[in-house]
Amino acid sequence: MASIVLKRTGQKMPLVGFGLWKVTKSTCADTVYNALKAGYRLLDGAGDYGNEKEAGEGLRRAIADGVVKREDVFVTSKLWNTFHQYDHAKKLAKSQLELWGIDYFDLFLVHFPIALKYVDPSHRYPPEWWGDDGKVHLQNTPMHETWRAMEELVDEGLAKNIGLSNCQGTLILDVLRYARIEPQVLQVELHPYLTQESLLKLCKILGIAVTAYSSLGPQSYVELGVDKGVTNLLQHDAVHSVAKNAGKSPAQVLLRWAVQQGVAVIPKSNNHERLVENLQVDSFELSEADMKTLSSLNINLRLNDPADIDPRLGIFA
């Protein structure tokens, strides 16, 4: 399977992984097991997804059945906003490993560069964005405090690699000014409606691997009612034209558009046929003209913007 070699550790991160966002608890263990059986070797989870225990059950079953070995599966998870304080960050990472039932994460990311007021996991987990009063409560924890905890997770063998998510250039450069262990991966929203060329260029210069989420654009946000009323990329005429040229599905060419730029992708599907199709996007190439056609759809549309929850969270302003 095609992979990206991470700069500090030399570890290979698969270019195509399986995303666990919105995978329901009731189906998660079976979904993970089936994804691994189909050939996926990267699982992208997060504390906020609320399904880490079930994902771990699927992984452990696959290991027990001889489908995979633990060292063959690249497991990613993320630290949520309410746990940015140094001691909370370390404690929660350990709790998340316990939920997964594994000894280490291959990659652990800071989910958002946003610190929210601590919510004890025994009170509510995952805590999401809001306090008990339904309001967003900010906390004054600087990123350098959180990053120190992340680095110590590496020191203690609890995370092989650490990185950032939903960060722009200014913050990445700031972290690099004090980081003892540099971020190895940046995970961001990336699709033809939000191409982020300058951010990709910066990461390439810095040697930071990039993972794209929401590669299919508004599709993932329709059921949440926040697709912002734009044409679904899977139904866009230009995407269909490129798919016809390539003899592939619209989803495959959207994923290939990212992979061909050296960007990893983490699609999910509950449909076995599509699950297998998504894994095959490193088996063909798009022409330069088709790549430009897809990139020309850029309208800087950001579907996952915390400012839509509370304007004080305008990290992309």
Side-chain angles (χ1 to χ4, degrees):
M1 182 181 293
S3 60
I4 299 172
V5 178
L6 301 183
K7 179 179 165 185
R8 189 184 70 86
T9 59
Q11 188 173 359
K12 292 180 178 180
M13 182 177 77
L15 263 175
V16 183
F18 191 83
L20 296 171
W21 181 46
K22 297 195 303 174
V23 176
T24 58
K25 281 188 178 185
S26 60
T27 63
C28 189
D30 287 340
T31 298
V32 165
Y33 182 88
N34 290 331
L36 293 170
K37 202 170 180 181
Y40 284 85
R41 292 296 178 265
L42 185 150
L43 300 172
D44 183 84
D48 185 54
Y49 300 167
N51 56 14
E52 290 193 293
K53 181 174 180 288
E54 293 75 15
E57 289 170 3
L59 172 59
R60 291 196 305 278
R61 196 198 315 163
I63 293 171
D65 288 355
V67 175
V68 292
K69 296 176 181 176
R70 169 63 188 96
E71 59 268 26
D72 296 334
V73 182
F74 193 103
V75 179
T76 299
S77 192
K78 308 176 191 77
L79 179 75
W80 187 242
N81 308 334
T82 49
F83 308 115
H84 276 214
Q85 192 174 308
Y86 170 79
D87 52 343
H88 295 154
K90 292 190 69 174
K91 185 177 178 182
L92 254 293
K94 292 172 183 177
S95 295
Q96 287 176 249
L97 283 169
E98 287 175 10
L99 286 173
W100 274 90
I102 57 179
D103 298 325
Y104 64 89
F105 288 124
D106 295 274
L107 176 63
F108 197 57
L109 304 172
V110 179
H111 205 151
F112 284 91
I114 293 170
L116 299 179
K117 187 177 179 182
Y118 176 69
V119 176
D120 193 306
S122 64
H123 176 64
R124 187 175 72 249
Y125 188 83
E128 300 184 315
W129 292 91
W130 305 275
D132 290 343
D133 59 2
K135 296 178 181 177
V136 174
H137 298 277
L138 300 177
Q139 179 172 288
N140 290 330
T141 303
M143 180 61 87
H144 66 75
E145 178 177 332
T146 308
W147 196 253
R148 180 164 64 94
M150 298 286 284
E151 290 174 324
E152 290 184 14
L153 294 174
V154 176
D155 294 338
E156 294 169 25
L158 302 176
K160 289 191 174 183
N161 302 278
I162 50 177
L164 300 166
S165 183
N166 297 300
C167 291
Q168 297 299 97
T170 303
L171 187 56
I172 296 167
L173 292 171
D174 186 60
V175 170
L176 290 174
R177 290 188 182 105
Y178 53 76
R180 177 171 56 88
I181 299 175
E182 294 183 356
Q184 293 297 287
V185 178
L186 173 69
Q187 186 173 128
V188 290
E189 179 181 345
L190 189 81
H191 44 75
Y193 281 156
L194 182 68
T195 54
Q196 305 217 65
E197 285 100 339
S198 59
L199 183 60
L200 291 183
K201 184 178 179 181
L202 176 65
C203 287
K204 188 173 183 178
I205 291 167
L206 297 173
I208 298 173
V210 178
T211 298
Y213 70 78
S214 298
S215 297
L216 307 184
Q219 175 67 21
S220 300
Y221 298 85
V222 173
E223 64 192 73
L224 303 176
V226 289
D227 59 318
K228 305 195 175 178
V230 297
T231 301
N232 189 324
L233 278 172
L234 292 172
Q235 296 163 0
H236 198 291
D237 289 345
V239 176
H240 274 263
S241 175
V242 171
K244 186 178 180 181
N245 290 345
K248 301 294 178 181
S249 71
Q252 283 178 307
V253 298
L254 288 171
L255 294 170
R256 179 65 204 176
W257 171 83
V259 167
Q260 200 158 310
Q261 296 179 75
V263 174
V265 293
I266 44 172
K268 84 166 181 74
S269 179
N270 295 317
N271 177 288
H272 183 74
E273 188 178 321
R274 284 197 296 270
L275 185 142
V276 173
E277 278 186 359
N278 290 345
L279 199 56
Q280 296 168 346
V281 298
D282 62 345
S283 65
F284 68 97
E285 283 198 10
L286 297 176
S287 68
E288 186 177 341
D290 283 341
M291 288 290 288
K292 285 181 178 177
T293 295
L294 294 177
S295 294
S296 71
L297 299 178
N298 182 50
I299 50 174
N300 295 319
L301 176 75
R302 194 176 296 279
L303 295 153
N304 187 12
D305 190 344
D308 295 336
I309 296 170
D310 187 311
R312 296 174 300 162
L313 306 179
I315 56 174
F316 302 118

